[in-house]
């Protein structure tokens, strides 16, 4: 198993931490993993993206040009990364930030209304966990229990009371992700 | 068994510094290596191992604090990124002139000048050919994973104290910022006063009546004596070149085409070799781990085996000079590089190598 993922959106949306939680979850299953962020001025309101690779075997390049899956959260990232999904690969996007829908026919495309679902949950911070849930529904590369275990590891003890909310968000994402029309 | 953790290269290096018995870190923040000092300050090692961590007023001050600590036989280090390391060159030259051990970490970014904050390998010349004034070398280690960012700290100090040559860990923004699983090295105590007196008899520890005064200086007004110092230093360099070159081979055994790359570029090239092999092209990767001493003899060996070599670097062509010196015209050696903070994709290097077929 090897999955090469790019998650791309605005700085501040939780793109990097979503990637980190995914990476940690994979580590809980003793998989090999790399997490490579775009860093610097992007983090202050511009576009931000992170490349996460999860594999059963050792990982060579942490920097890639094409991806198995792209999770896309704004139009700039759609313009940049739609063409970078491997033929037969997967593209998941939140229609909220997208003005021009993806047009490729050779990949599987899914939508997930994570922004509105987070608003419904009255928890804007749940956004990235909803996305992660949606992604794991489509690509079951790590078990939900491993994500929860990963959260236990990454969150400081004083925030462990937030784990049930995160679990709800993951389940919400699994529920609302759907194939694009 | 130590736990496997997920960490940035910079964070792993900071943890490793505490664990290897480092006595003092002196630095000044600069992207993309600021997590090194951030991690140290968060860990507060002065409360546990007694390691001093200090944010100096500048890079110039940092390297001179390292000089001071090293003069006393202490494991002293600093870290910075390219523009900051340029500021340190005078102090590094003085340390080499005084034959002091120490560790300088350069998490390189694009240059010249302030350049960009993105990854680069354009300080290869500066790191391996001296950098400051005078005939000198640093021991240069080039990590290509988060694990090596952790492992090379102890190795750098070991080599540096063994040969009394400052060591440099030459990393870059990719390896510094990337997160990977890492197993941190075990804790090692800091040197005791007795160990310093025994293993570093040159150190300034307060003069006992039993020996002559120790003097740490790079100044010698008598040129004949200065030449002698230089000759002895060069003899040590020859010994290091003969014994300490380190490298890693990846699919080299039957290779017809050899890619030579270090650090983050080697990670990208490893993928390129996988892609080339899928197409039936017999490519291999040789990764110098020490950039000085350079694995010249290994390159010479492959010059007799392969049809051509490709040097892939995040610069305009720097390590290629050492590769060509080793190959000495036996096979063509081409260069592929990206500059200014751009990192090539594995496919770009595949295309570059295919031009040699």
């Amino acid at each position: 198993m090897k999955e090469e993922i790019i998650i791309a959106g605005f700085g501040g949306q939780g793109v990097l931490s979503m990637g980190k939680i995914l990476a940690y979850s994979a580590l809980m299953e003793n998989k090999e993993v790399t997490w490579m962020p775009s860093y610097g001025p992007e983090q202050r309101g511009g576009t931000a993206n992170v490349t996460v690779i999860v594999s059963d075997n050792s990982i060579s390049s942490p920097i890639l040009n094409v991806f198995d899956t792209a999770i896309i959260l704004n139009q700039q990232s759609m313009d940049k990364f739609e063409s970078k999904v491997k033929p037969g690969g997967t593209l998941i996007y939140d229609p909220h930030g997208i003005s021009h829908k993806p047009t490729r026919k050779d990949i599987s495309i899914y939508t997930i209304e994570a922004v509105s679902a987070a608003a419904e949950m009255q928890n804007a911070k749940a956004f990235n966990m909803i996305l992660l849930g949606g992604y794991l529904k489509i690509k079951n590369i790590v078990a939900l229990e491993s994500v929860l275990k990963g959260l236990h590891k990454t969150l400081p003890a004083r925030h462990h009371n937030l784990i049930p909310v995160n679990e709800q968000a993951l389940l919400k994402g699994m529920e609302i992700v759907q194939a694009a029309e | 068994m130590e736990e496997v953790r997920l960490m940035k290269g910079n964070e792993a290096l900071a943890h490793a510094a505490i664990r290897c018995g480092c006595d003092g870190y002196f630095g000044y923040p600069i992207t993309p290596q600021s997590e090194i000092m951030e991690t140290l300050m968060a860990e507060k090692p002065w409360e546990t191992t007694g390691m001093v961590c200090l944010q100096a007023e500048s890079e110039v001050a940092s390297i001179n604090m390292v000089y001071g600590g090293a003069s006393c036989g202490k494991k002293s280090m600093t870290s910075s990124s390219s523009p900051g390391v340029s500021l340190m060159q005078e102090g590094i030259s003085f340390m080499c002139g005084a034959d002091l051990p120490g560790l300088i970490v350069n998490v390189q970014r694009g240059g010249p000048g302030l350049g960009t904050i993105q990854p680069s390998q354009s300080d290869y010349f500066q790191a391996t050919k001296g950098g400051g004034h005078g005939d000198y070398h640093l021991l240069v280690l080039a990590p290509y994973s988060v694990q090596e960012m952790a492992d090379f700290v102890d190795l750098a100090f070991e080599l540096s104290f063994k040969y009394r040559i400052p060591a440099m860990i030459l990393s870059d923004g990719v390896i510094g910022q990337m997160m990977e699983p890492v197993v941190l090295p075990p804790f090692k105590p800091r040197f005791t006063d007795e160990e310093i007196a025994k293993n570093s008899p040159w150190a300034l520890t307060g003069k006992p009546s039993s020996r002559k005064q120790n003097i740490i200086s790079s100044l010698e007004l008598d040129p004949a004596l200065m030449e002698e110092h230089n000759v002895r230093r060069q003899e040590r360099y020859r010994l290091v070149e003969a014994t300490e070159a380190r490298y890693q081979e990846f699919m080299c055994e039957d290779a017809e085409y050899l890619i030579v790359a270090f650090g983050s570029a080697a990670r990208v090239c490893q993928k390129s070799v996988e892609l080339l092999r899928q197409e039936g092209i017999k490519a291999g990767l040789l990764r110098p781990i020490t950039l000085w001493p350079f694995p010249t003899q290994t390159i010479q060996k492959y010059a007799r085996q392969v049809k051509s070599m490709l040097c892939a670097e995040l610069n305009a062509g720097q390590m290629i000079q050492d590769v060509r010196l080793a190959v000495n015209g036996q096979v063509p050696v081409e260069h592929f590089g990206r500059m200014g903070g751009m990192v090539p994709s594995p496919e770009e290097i595949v295309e570059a190598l295919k031009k040699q077929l």
Side-chain angles (χ1 to χ4, degrees):
Chain A
M1 191 281 297
K2 186 174 194 183
E3 168 84 348
E4 299 170 334
I5 311 143
I6 181 125
I7 311 167
F10 287 118
Q13 275 181 315
V15 164
L16 299 189
S17 50
M18 176 185 164
K20 190 173 165 182
I21 292 161
L22 176 61
Y24 235 103
S25 313
L27 185 65
M28 293 298 113
E29 297 187 2
N30 295 319
K31 292 188 161 77
E32 292 290 334
V33 44
T34 62
W35 176 95
M36 182 67 218
S38 62
Y39 62 87
E42 296 95 329
Q43 289 179 5
R44 302 181 186 109
T47 59
N49 67 68
V50 61
T51 301
V52 177
I53 307 175
V54 176
S55 174
D56 291 330
N57 302 312
S58 72
I59 297 165
S60 49
S61 178
I63 291 166
L64 300 168
N65 190 37
V66 288
F67 305 91
D68 298 308
T69 301
I71 301 171
I72 297 198
L73 305 174
N74 63 18
Q75 189 59 46
Q76 290 97 313
S77 303
M78 185 67 87
D79 296 342
K80 195 168 170 190
F81 294 114
E82 183 188 352
S83 62
K84 304 287 188 187
V85 179
K86 291 179 196 171
T90 303
L91 190 157
I92 304 172
Y93 72 100
D94 187 335
H96 185 80
I98 302 296
S99 45
H100 307 290
K101 288 182 188 173
T103 53
R104 279 182 62 181
K105 301 287 176 229
D106 61 337
I107 57 175
S108 308
I109 301 177
Y110 298 87
T111 61
I112 179 162
E113 302 262 4
V115 169
S116 19
E120 259 172 51
M121 291 175 78
Q122 297 184 316
N123 185 355
K125 284 184 182 167
F127 171 72
N128 62 357
M129 296 303 284
I130 296 172
L131 279 173
L132 181 58
Y135 165 70
L136 291 176
K137 170 84 177 179
I138 308 300
K139 287 269 181 103
N140 189 22
I141 59 161
V142 288
L144 182 61
E145 300 82 70
S146 305
V147 181
L148 298 176
K149 236 165 105 183
L151 281 169
H152 243 275
K153 281 265 177 194
T154 45
L155 289 175
R158 65 179 190 280
H159 290 148
H160 279 181
N161 60 329
L162 297 175
I163 290 175
V165 183
N166 281 292
E167 186 176 5
Q168 278 174 27
L170 286 161
L171 293 170
K172 185 75 184 171
M174 291 181 170
E175 182 191 315
I176 62 172
V177 68
Q178 54 183 354
E181 289 141 26
Chain B
M1 175 71 190
E2 272 284 343
E3 188 190 354
V4 181
R5 302 155 201 246
L6 192 65
M7 253 184 216
K8 285 190 174 191
N10 289 335
E11 296 166 343
L13 185 137
H15 283 279
I18 299 169
R19 284 165 174 253
C20 80
C22 180
D23 294 294
Y25 171 93
F26 312 94
Y28 189 80
I30 180 171
T31 306
Q33 64 78 55
S34 295
E35 292 87 355
I36 295 175
M37 187 155 51
E38 281 170 20
T39 306
L40 287 171
M41 293 305 181
E43 289 295 312
K44 300 184 184 167
W46 53 89
E47 291 179 358
T48 52
T49 70
M51 174 183 176
V52 172
C53 298
L54 193 130
Q55 178 172 338
E57 67 268 38
S58 69
E59 289 85 351
V60 176
S62 309
I63 192 67
N64 284 294
M65 289 174 182
V66 172
Y67 184 111
S71 302
C72 303
K74 301 284 187 185
K75 282 187 185 172
S76 311
M77 67 178 288
T78 184
S79 68
S80 189
S81 180
S82 309
V85 177
S86 289
L87 286 167
M88 294 181 184
Q89 290 305 322
E90 180 195 53
I92 295 172
S93 169
F94 278 43
M95 284 181 73
C96 291
D99 298 315
L100 289 173
L103 172 60
I104 301 112
V105 179
N106 182 359
V107 184
Q108 297 169 91
R109 59 190 240 181
L114 282 176
T116 58
I117 59 173
Q118 308 304 332
S120 175
Q121 297 180 324
S122 50
D123 304 346
Y124 178 92
F125 283 155
Q126 186 193 59
T128 60
K129 311 291 177 195
H133 59 283
D135 269 331
Y136 74 85
H137 281 293
L138 304 177
L139 295 153
V140 185
L141 293 162
Y144 95 139
S145 63
V146 172
Q147 187 65 54
E148 287 189 345
M149 283 288 268
D151 294 344
F152 284 2
V153 179
D154 188 46
L155 176 64
F157 274 122
E158 288 280 333
L159 293 172
S160 183
F161 272 83
K162 183 174 176 186
Y163 295 104
R164 289 179 67 185
I165 301 172
M168 175 173 277
I169 293 181
L170 189 69
S171 181
D172 66 53
V174 173
I175 308 297
Q177 292 295 324
M178 166 170 72
M179 280 207 276
E180 279 186 317
V182 57
V183 178
L184 294 175
F187 276 96
K188 231 165 115 168
R190 290 167 47 228
F191 288 151
T192 60
D193 289 348
E194 292 72 29
E195 284 172 320
I196 291 173
K198 184 166 168 275
N199 300 327
S200 304
W202 44 266
L204 307 183
T205 53
K207 183 191 155 321
S209 51
S210 54
R211 66 159 164 83
K212 283 208 292 186
Q213 182 187 23
N214 281 344
I215 298 172
I216 301 282
S217 173
S218 62
L219 179 68
E220 175 52 67
L221 293 176
D222 180 346
L225 276 178
M226 194 65 207
E227 187 180 43
E228 255 180 55
H229 291 325
N230 270 281
V231 167
R232 281 206 297 275
R233 192 171 301 118
Q234 293 298 326
E235 283 168 1
R236 254 184 305 141
Y237 289 165
R238 298 297 87 77
L239 177 65
V240 170
E241 283 172 337
T243 53
E244 299 293 353
R246 287 167 162 79
Y247 55 88
Q248 188 188 22
E249 293 153 306
F250 179 69
M251 296 195 166
C252 287
E253 212 162 89
D254 63 340
E256 294 175 358
Y257 302 92
L258 189 70
I259 302 178
V260 187
F262 69 95
S264 60
R267 284 294 285 267
V268 178
C269 289
Q270 210 172 327
K271 175 93 177 182
S272 310
V273 168
E274 288 166 9
L275 294 171
L276 285 159
R277 289 270 170 174
Q278 280 169 20
E279 293 184 44
I281 298 164
K282 286 187 176 168
L285 170 69
L286 180 76
R287 174 173 78 94
I289 293 171
T290 51
L291 302 180
W292 193 88
F294 192 70
T296 302
Q297 291 180 346
T298 310
I299 304 265
Q300 281 167 350
K301 185 186 92 182
Y302 284 109
R304 295 189 287 273
Q305 174 186 323
V306 302
K307 292 178 183 164
S308 66
M309 295 189 194
L310 176 69
C311 219
E313 306 175 69
L314 308 187
N315 59 43
Q318 299 193 14
M319 182 176 67
I320 190 172
Q321 295 193 358
D322 289 326
V323 175
R324 281 187 171 151
L325 274 174
V327 168
N328 201 13
Q330 291 184 74
V331 291
V333 182
E334 300 299 331
H335 178 260
F336 177 84
R338 295 293 302 265
M339 290 174 280
M342 295 300 289
V343 180
S345 68
E347 289 82 0
E348 282 176 70
I349 291 159
V350 166
E351 288 314 308
L353 189 120
K354 280 184 179 172
K355 287 185 191 146
Q356 294 181 278
L357 299 185

